[in-house]
Amino acid sequence: MPPNPTGPTNRQLRMLARFLRKAAAANSARIWRVVAELIERPRRSRVVVNVGKLNRVAEDGDVVVVPGKLLGGGELRKKVTVAAVKVSPKAAQKVVEAGGELLTIPELVRRVPKGTRVKVVV
């Protein structure tokens, strides 16, 4: 490893990015490569999304991936399936109360390997 490593030093994030790149190659699904690139960003420019933004950009029944942290700011009135790297307890509560479902990103990749109809929210 170089003296000053670049990219995530968190082992789970590195493993997740590697998993996504392999899934992208195996399934010819460019979306997973894009999500891997967003996860590998430096910490200061990682994605942070509030559930209020999900309410604005997603429709009922959509499948959404957040390549960062999902926070509980705002309201969610739509039933969406959400996969994120991290989810705050308040955000998890709001997604479940709205009738939605929370998944990990690997669970979502296994469920939708081609990434069809999956929205990336940044």
Side-chain angles (χ1 to χ4, degrees):
M1 191 176 257
N4 294 323
T6 58
T9 54
N10 181 331
R11 190 169 199 279
Q12 281 86 12
L13 284 180
R14 289 197 328 251
M15 296 296 287
L16 178 60
R18 184 180 304 151
F19 171 78
L20 287 167
R21 287 185 187 284
K22 286 181 180 178
N27 300 308
S28 301
R30 201 172 131 239
I31 185 171
W32 303 131
R33 191 176 73 239
V34 170
V35 173
E37 288 169 2
L38 291 170
I39 287 172
E40 289 177 328
R41 280 182 168 178
R43 184 177 295 169
R44 66 188 173 275
S45 61
R46 288 211 182 120
V47 176
V48 178
V49 175
N50 282 305
V51 293
K53 184 171 185 176
L54 291 183
N55 198 54
R56 289 193 308 272
V57 300
E59 300 299 323
D60 257 348
D62 276 356
V63 179
V64 175
V65 62
V66 178
K69 189 163 188 176
L70 181 65
L71 299 176
E75 290 185 35
L76 182 63
R77 296 190 198 99
K78 298 174 182 170
K79 184 178 175 181
V80 292
T81 302
V82 182
V85 174
K86 288 186 178 182
V87 181
S88 74
K90 193 73 169 175
Q93 176 187 351
K94 288 183 178 186
V95 169
V96 172
E97 284 177 358
E101 183 181 9
L102 278 171
L103 302 172
T104 64
I105 293 177
E107 286 173 346
L108 179 63
V109 171
R110 288 184 189 100
R111 192 180 284 188
V112 189
K114 293 280 186 191
T116 54
R117 294 189 177 166
V118 175
K119 291 184 179 180
V120 180
V121 178
V122 291

